[in-house]
Amino acid sequence: MNSATSSPRRVRVRAPELTGKGGWLNTGDTSYTLADLRGRIVVLDFWTFCCINCLHVLDELRELEEKHRDTLVIIGVHSPKFVHEAEHQAVVDAVERYEVHHPVLDDPELATWKQYAVRAWPTLVVVDPEGYVVAQHAGEGHAHAIEKLVEELEAEHAAKGTLRRGDGPYVPPEPVATDLRFPGKALVLPSGNLLVSDSTRHQLVELEPDGESVVRRVGSGDRGFRDATAADGSFAAASFAEPQGLALLPDGRVIVADTVNHALRTYDPVSGAVETVAGTGRQWWQGSPTAGPAREVDLSSPWDVAWWADRVWIAMAGVHQLWTYDPATGTVEAVAGTTNEGLFDGPAAEAWFAQPSGLAAAGDRLWIADSETSALRYVERAAGERAGEAGSGGRAGEGYGAEFVIRTAVGSGLFDFGHRDGPGAEALLQHPLGVTALPDGSVAVADTYNHALRRFDPATGEVTTLATDLREPSDAVLVGDDIVVVESARHRLTRLRLPEEAVRVESVAHRTQRTATEVAPGAFELAVVFTAPTGQKLDTRYGPSTRLLVSATPPELLVSGEGAGTDLSREVVLSDQVAEGVLHVSAMAASCDDDPANEYPACHVHQQDWGVPVRLAADGTSRLALVLAGMDS
């Protein structure tokens, strides 16, 4: 049985009310109910600001939001995973940081999330002008389908007289003047000046060694994707889109992770020239090449870069992998990670990551801040392995990456986090975004959601706290005997003297507040629901157009049902010896325009990864339905 269908079936369910203890943002202090929005098409975007897929969806929705602004209201329902994300000010910051130009309901207790039975970030729910839910979509790649549905609803409700046109409820906040606005990463230039990625303003900013005086701004400040040569005569000629990671190349240029442009750029601090060296500007999707000429291969939200082992290593947050860029050959290659989200060590090709967001080269190790697993990990060469030739595609690690292995120093999985010092196996972080190599061989971790700078010593295996009372630190660089921290949510660089003794912090441990799904012992049905958008059908020209991959943490949780297949439903059996765990489900479906006369139909890939906490219970469900697109009938 396959839970995918090609003909839409309009199921209407009365939409639950919108409630959130944190209140409303971007509405001029006005609160809204669904009754206030009657007559408009409403898209609820369930998101949380740690989630890279949620950030992708924000970008996907921008064009739709603009095109249908007189009939469509997008409402972001912020539903936190981490404790820090439940803080109201953190949500306020995130709405500005990521340029969210629609109303946002702050739902720190997941009240609306539960009412809508949401199971994944991001999830989009479409409510018609009469207040009924007509579609649900999980994951990325649904903007085209939602636009088709919006057009159908506009026509249907205009004919019925139930469509109301006009200005929406969005009220922009007042802009705030600061030299930096949510800076991301920093590095020390050969001149001694500091270069900072000023992410929300889409620029690079060069500062004097004091970390405060602005020397110049690089980039126009408008979101864009434009290179610049020295002949352009202005450091402002180029444009970026939320740049993050920075690293020095051996030739003195800076390589920039231009995150939302899905590209790598180089910047020459002397001439001001900016050049695109990797990426097409399009986001990578499953089935796209994972190696080849750098300007011809799509990337996905590169978040940080580091020069190590004679190449640029890339924290490819958008697909939970590490890639490399080789300037000598002008090629890129996926070298570690399967694209599955989680924490799994071993040979590079088999490892799992969860939004790697910070990199630091330190001798024979490359350190990684793996943010969604709140982990500190590293790459090192496997004993006895030799470098292979770079491959032309396929899974990570088959070429250059085959000689590397991935190991974890701190962290246990997607749902455990906190602030606990001690042995690495017991220590806890909370969504770290940066890592910095220290002179004594230890590493400093920008423990972002704990507002702290932490230290891991490989010699002792111990984690300590260096500093607290920072505000969302996202990176740090060494300047002499000091460490300069990028305090992203305070919009500044903060200089600290490296302490001789660590700060003592009371131990705190957390688990995500998502409730576990209770599942009955024995066999149950796991069904991923997918309905192709109107005017499209499943693309079977080259074989099956759907894919389902299932695994579990711990692995012993699954007795049967593990592995990959093409049906979107299967029987799964959980072990009665494991009380609870997490089911990892990855689904993909490809649909194309259903027009026999069109020789080259437009096709769209829909995909989502779920981490579903489950618990065995006698009265638990015997069917677990995850909606990729459509409605579960």
Side-chain angles (χ1 to χ4, degrees), residues 278-617:
T280 62
R282 298 183 301 270
Q283 184 184 338
W284 187 93
W285 288 98
Q286 290 286 353
S288 300
T290 57
R295 290 297 308 275
E296 299 174 16
V297 177
D298 299 338
L299 308 181
S300 182
S301 296
W303 205 275
D304 203 6
V305 282
W307 180 259
W308 186 70
D310 298 322
R311 297 195 185 190
V312 174
W313 285 67
I314 310 163
M316 202 70 78
V319 285
H320 317 299
Q321 289 184 311
L322 303 180
W323 289 40
T324 60
Y325 162 64
D326 185 353
T329 60
T331 56
V332 291
E333 179 183 0
V335 295
T338 63
T339 75
N340 293 322
E341 184 178 22
L343 192 154
F344 187 78
D345 289 345
E350 300 170 14
W352 290 23
F353 297 95
Q355 286 179 218
S357 301
L359 300 175
D364 58 359
R365 287 182 178 177
L366 178 70
W367 292 94
I368 309 156
D370 200 27
S371 62
E372 278 294 283
T373 51
S374 297
L376 174 65
R377 308 175 72 185
Y378 59 92
V379 187
E380 65 180 3
R381 294 184 187 275
E385 293 290 339
R386 296 171 57 189
E389 294 296 323
S392 60
R395 71 186 205 169
E398 290 182 341
Y400 172 74
E403 61 176 311
F404 297 102
V405 294
I406 310 300
R407 307 197 192 282
T408 298
V410 183
S412 56
L414 283 166
F415 300 112
D416 293 284
F417 53 91
H419 191 142
R420 180 194 289 154
D421 291 332
E426 301 171 9
L428 293 172
L429 310 169
Q430 188 180 179
H431 198 77
L433 290 179
V435 59
T436 306
L438 299 178
D440 63 358
S442 66
V443 290
V445 180
D447 193 5
T448 309
Y449 288 2
N450 280 327
H451 311 301
L453 190 66
R454 311 286 292 283
R455 176 179 179 266
F456 174 73
D457 186 351
T460 63
E462 292 285 317
V463 175
T464 53
T465 297
L466 295 175
T468 58
D469 194 31
L470 302 167
R471 187 68 186 172
E472 292 193 17
S474 54
D475 196 20
V477 292
L478 287 172
V479 179
D481 294 329
D482 297 339
I483 189 164
V484 175
V485 180
V486 180
E487 273 199 276
S488 189
R490 282 202 178 112
H491 320 293
R492 71 185 189 192
L493 303 187
T494 299
R495 185 180 293 263
L496 304 173
R497 179 59 53 97
L498 279 172
E500 294 181 5
E501 293 186 5
V503 178
R504 291 192 175 274
V505 176
E506 185 178 350
S507 178
V508 178
H510 299 289
R511 293 208 85 202
T512 179
Q513 58 178 319
R514 285 179 60 190
T515 356
T517 299
E518 295 192 337
V519 178
F524 73 95
E525 181 191 5
L526 173 65
V528 172
V529 177
F530 177 76
T531 302
T534 303
Q536 293 197 355
K537 64 179 181 178
L538 291 173
D539 178 18
T540 56
R541 292 172 299 163
Y542 308 108
S545 60
T546 55
R547 185 192 70 167
L548 179 64
L549 177 66
V550 179
S551 62
T553 302
E556 298 77 24
L557 177 66
L558 273 177
V559 173
S560 65
E562 183 181 15
T566 56
D567 282 351
L568 289 182
S569 67
R570 71 175 63 168
E571 182 180 89
V572 171
V573 179
L574 301 185
S575 170
D576 57 8
Q577 303 301 306
V578 181
E580 61 182 14
V582 178
L583 277 180
H584 302 282
V585 181
S586 178
M588 184 274 289
S591 61
C592 296
D593 291 344
D594 187 10
D595 181 0
N598 187 352
E599 186 179 355
Y600 302 104
C603 298
H604 303 272
V605 176
H606 316 263
Q607 64 184 52
Q608 171 65 359
D609 296 330
W610 291 268
V612 184
V614 294
R615 181 184 302 118
L616 286 175

